[in-house]
């Protein structure tokens, strides 16, 4: 450990676990983007809030940049450390600290995996409803830092809705206890909500009090094959009018093909242009009948090319895999990802324009489209052709993102729906946020972190 700054850290915090092992630097210096070469100064694993505070006081004094690190499943480069930063992994702070049956809250440390939160809530007969494919590895701290969305937003909203309290350590090492689990708190600025979605730029979450709810009703899962996106939106409207949706997710034939190549099972005999995995409340006969009626109405209208209603939990899981398996199935192509949103009502018009734009811009690249219909959130994965040159591919993708950003601005949309801005989308923040708004955000960052040590270079400069 030769860097003199690390020696001062050792002196300031003799008990802190630290590593400069090349394998640790490599592992903890990257996220799922795989576009930057990890080059952190070192990795630190604080054991508790006191160590995080001491660490940040030291970093503030020494002007050492910090990259907070959870499960590193992020897709925007928010957890990348490529410029000699100190990565602060919160994985040792992964305990459930408490459960309150009256408030129906679970208090956890930031490094706990989302799946472990689901399990802890279930052990008390309750439910934490934020959910998505990376549930096994992503951590609650990371979901808060990005205001993560996922597959249940249509019913439950984003992470923001489920945070009753937060403890945050700022860039000077100060500990803020934000909202303290209160339901009502009309006492000025809600800094909790400022911290949610701040991508580690205002502080490190060291504790979160999560709201819990009743477990969802038993659900019916179905997969529909559809001829066009316009029809898909009509089917969405029909289902939404007749049943209480828990999820309504779409993908296209090539996305399905990638998942099938990775062991997914296509229940249909032929491939179709669009697919939807939908899930709706089916707790009693009336709800089941309503779902069946929605399905029949869509079939009678000639909208459905094929369809299957899951007959068991195992089959429902198989259908879900076709949608949730896409990210992993295409990962080997190191896709350039866009994660954009428009108002739900503007989806069809936006998608038609975006598909035309990308069809022209990427005649030679395979583009995989999927996403969360009920939230107006499209995922666009541009697959890098095998053997192509990295820099050229990224240049072309960046150019097209510029065009897409223009289209989003026209439609009043956002360049990042749920993955965050990080490094990947930083150049286009201005397509979604006004110049005055960004200037205010910069000012807020300077208040929380006057030495600019918290995840510098992410979100905006
Ligand atoms: C999903 O909805 C995730 O599956 C990942 O947000 C999206 O890989 C992606 O682009
Ligand atoms: Zn998503």
């Amino acid at each position: 450990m030769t860097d003199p700054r690390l020696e001062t850290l050792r002196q300031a915090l003799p008990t802190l676990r630290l590593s400069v092992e090349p394998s640790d630097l490599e592992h903890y210096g990257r996220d799922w983007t795989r576009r930057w070469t990890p080059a952190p100064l070192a990795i630190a694993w604080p054991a508790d809030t006191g160590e995080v505070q001491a660490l940040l006081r030291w970093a503030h004094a020494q002007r050492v940049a910090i990259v907070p690190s959870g499960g590193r499943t992020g897709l925007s480069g928010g957890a990348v450390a490529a410029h000699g930063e100190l990565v602060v992994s919160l994985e040792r702070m992964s305990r459930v600290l408490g459960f309150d049956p009256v408030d129906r809250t679970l208090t956890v440390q930031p490094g706990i995996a989302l799946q472990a939160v689901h399990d802890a809530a279930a052990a008390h007969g309750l439910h934490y409803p934020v959910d998505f494919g990376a549930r096994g590895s992503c951590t609650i701290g990371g979901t808060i830092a990005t205001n993560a969305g996922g597959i249940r937003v249509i019913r439950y909203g984003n992470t923001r809705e489920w945070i009753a309290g937060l403890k945050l350590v700022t860039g000077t090492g100060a500990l803020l206890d934000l909202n303290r689990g209160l339901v009502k708190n009309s006492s000025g600025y809600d800094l909790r909500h400022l911290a949610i979605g701040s991508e580690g730029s205002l502080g490190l979450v060291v504790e979160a009090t999560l709201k819990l709810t009743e477990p969802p009703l038993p659900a019916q899962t179905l997969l529909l094959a559809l001829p066009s996106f316009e029809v898909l939106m009509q089917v969405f409207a029909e289902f939404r009018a007749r049943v209480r949706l828990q999820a309504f997710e779409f993908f296209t034939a090539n996305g399905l093909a990638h998942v099938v190549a990775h062991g997914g099972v296509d229940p249909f005999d032929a491939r179709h242009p669009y697919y939807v995995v939908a899930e709706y409340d089916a707790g009693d006969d009336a709800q089941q009948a309503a779902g069946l009626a929605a399905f029949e109405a869509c079939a009678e209208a000639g909208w459905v090319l094929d369809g299957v209603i899951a007959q068991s939990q195992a089959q429902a899981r198989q259908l879900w895999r076709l949608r949730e398996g896409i990210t992993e199935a295409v990962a080997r192509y190191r896709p350039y990802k866009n994660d954009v949103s428009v108002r739900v009502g503007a989806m069809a018009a936006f998608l038609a324009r975006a598909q035309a734009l990308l069809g022209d811009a990427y005649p030679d690249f395979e583009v995989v489209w999927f996403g969360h219909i009920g939230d107006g959130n499209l995922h666009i994965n541009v697959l890098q052709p095998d053997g192509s040159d990295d820099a050229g591919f990224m240049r072309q993708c960046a150019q097209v993102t510029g065009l897409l950003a223009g289209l989003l601005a026209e439609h009043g949309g956002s360049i990042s729906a749920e993955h965050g801005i990080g490094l990947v989308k930083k150049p286009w923040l201005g397509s979604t946020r006004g110049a005055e708004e960004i200037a205010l955000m910069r000012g807020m960052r300077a208040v929380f972190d006057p030495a600019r040590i918290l995840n510098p270079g992410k979100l905006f400069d």
Side-chain angles (χ1 to χ4, degrees):
M1 220 160 272
T2 50
D3 190 294
R5 290 170 301 172
L6 293 179
E7 289 311 322
T8 67
L9 178 56
R10 275 254 167 271
Q11 278 158 18
L13 251 168
T15 55
L16 180 67
R17 205 173 121 196
L18 267 179
S19 170
V20 290
E21 283 296 317
S23 58
D24 286 333
L25 301 184
E26 165 84 17
H27 181 68
Y28 289 91
R30 60 165 36 149
D31 64 6
W32 265 58
T33 47
R34 303 284 191 268
R35 290 275 164 200
W36 287 270
T37 308
L41 169 68
I43 317 300
W45 290 270
D48 55 30
T49 297
E51 281 200 346
V52 174
Q53 283 187 272
L55 187 54
L56 283 168
R57 276 195 293 265
W58 167 85
H60 174 72
Q62 299 285 327
R63 301 296 192 260
V64 172
I66 293 291
V67 175
S69 184
R72 293 176 309 288
T73 54
L75 300 167
S76 300
V80 166
H83 299 289
E85 304 94 334
L86 179 69
V87 174
V88 179
S89 166
L90 294 150
E91 70 188 8
R92 284 175 77 202
M93 294 173 63
S94 60
R95 280 181 303 126
V96 173
L97 298 174
F99 165 70
D100 191 314
V102 179
D103 281 311
R104 288 184 154 185
T105 55
L106 191 72
T107 298
V108 296
Q109 291 185 306
I112 188 169
L114 179 58
Q115 180 67 61
V117 168
H118 291 167
D119 295 346
H124 294 292
L126 290 168
H127 181 57
Y128 181 68
V130 176
D131 191 20
F132 46 90
R135 61 182 76 79
S137 344
C138 73
T139 62
I140 214 72
T143 65
I144 293 169
T146 51
N147 186 25
I151 55 179
R152 307 283 170 194
V153 172
I154 188 173
R155 168 68 69 89
Y156 295 106
N158 296 294
T159 297
R160 185 179 298 291
E161 314 296 328
W162 297 94
I163 307 299
L166 270 189
K167 287 191 182 165
L168 189 81
V169 177
T170 69
T172 59
L175 178 64
L176 306 181
D177 190 358
L178 304 174
N179 199 58
R180 304 186 308 281
L182 297 173
V183 176
K184 290 189 167 181
N185 185 5
S186 179
S187 60
Y189 304 158
D190 196 335
L191 302 182
R192 160 189 53 161
H193 284 298
L194 206 53
I196 299 168
S198 65
E199 303 189 27
S201 67
L202 299 180
L204 270 64
V205 173
V206 287
E207 199 177 299
T209 296
L210 311 174
K211 299 180 199 173
L212 304 179
T213 185
E214 285 96 27
L217 289 174
Q220 183 64 66
T221 309
L222 52 76
L223 177 72
L224 301 174
L226 306 165
S228 70
F229 197 78
E230 287 69 28
V231 164
L232 194 152
M233 292 306 292
Q234 284 168 305
V235 169
F236 174 58
E238 190 69 36
F239 268 84
R240 197 153 64 162
R242 291 173 181 261
V243 296
R244 275 206 83 200
L245 286 168
Q246 294 188 16
F248 198 92
E249 300 277 314
F250 98 101
F251 50 98
T252 55
N254 61 342
L256 177 110
H258 283 289
V259 178
V260 167
H262 274 72
V265 179
D266 181 353
F268 303 137
D269 297 331
R271 285 281 148 82
H272 302 288
Y274 289 90
Y275 298 89
V276 160
V277 174
E279 213 159 79
Y280 53 86
D281 286 358
D284 57 30
D285 290 350
Q287 288 173 329
Q288 281 177 16
L292 216 55
F295 180 81
E296 279 163 7
C298 293
E300 268 162 37
W303 294 335
V304 179
L305 300 175
D306 213 338
V308 50
I309 297 181
Q311 300 301 320
S312 64
Q313 290 280 340
Q315 198 184 2
R317 271 198 300 277
Q318 246 179 32
L319 299 182
W320 265 112
R321 181 171 175 194
L322 297 174
R323 161 64 183 87
E324 290 199 310
I326 297 173
T327 300
E328 223 164 301
V330 301
R332 83 160 194 83
Y333 298 97
R334 296 195 303 142
Y336 180 87
K337 289 175 186 284
N338 279 301
D339 156 45
V340 301
S341 68
V342 291
R343 284 183 305 98
V344 179
M347 275 282 255
F350 173 78
L351 186 96
R353 297 270 309 273
Q355 281 188 328
L357 188 151
L358 267 68
D360 289 346
Y362 294 131
D364 306 327
F365 296 162
E366 182 181 346
V367 183
V368 181
W369 300 79
F370 56 108
H372 315 280
I373 291 298
D375 322 331
N377 180 185
L378 287 175
H379 294 307
I380 308 166
N381 280 218
V382 186
L383 308 195
Q384 179 166 354
D386 283 339
S388 66
D389 139 63
D390 268 17
F393 175 74
M394 287 305 282
R395 242 193 332 274
Q396 194 170 347
C397 290
Q399 204 182 355
V400 177
T401 300
L403 301 176
L404 195 64
L407 194 61
L408 281 164
E410 248 180 73
H411 286 79
S414 174
I415 193 73
S416 177
E418 58 174 359
H419 296 169
I421 295 291
L423 291 168
V424 178
K425 293 294 164 342
K426 193 170 76 164
W428 301 283
L429 181 63
S431 67
T432 298
R433 301 298 195 100
E436 293 85 355
E437 206 180 348
I438 295 174
L440 279 174
M441 289 205 274
R442 267 203 190 93
M444 287 172 192
R445 188 175 189 164
V447 171
F448 279 77
D449 175 28
R452 296 169 61 86
I453 56 162
L454 291 177
N455 222 5
K458 317 286 170 56
L459 196 50
F460 46 74
D461 285 320

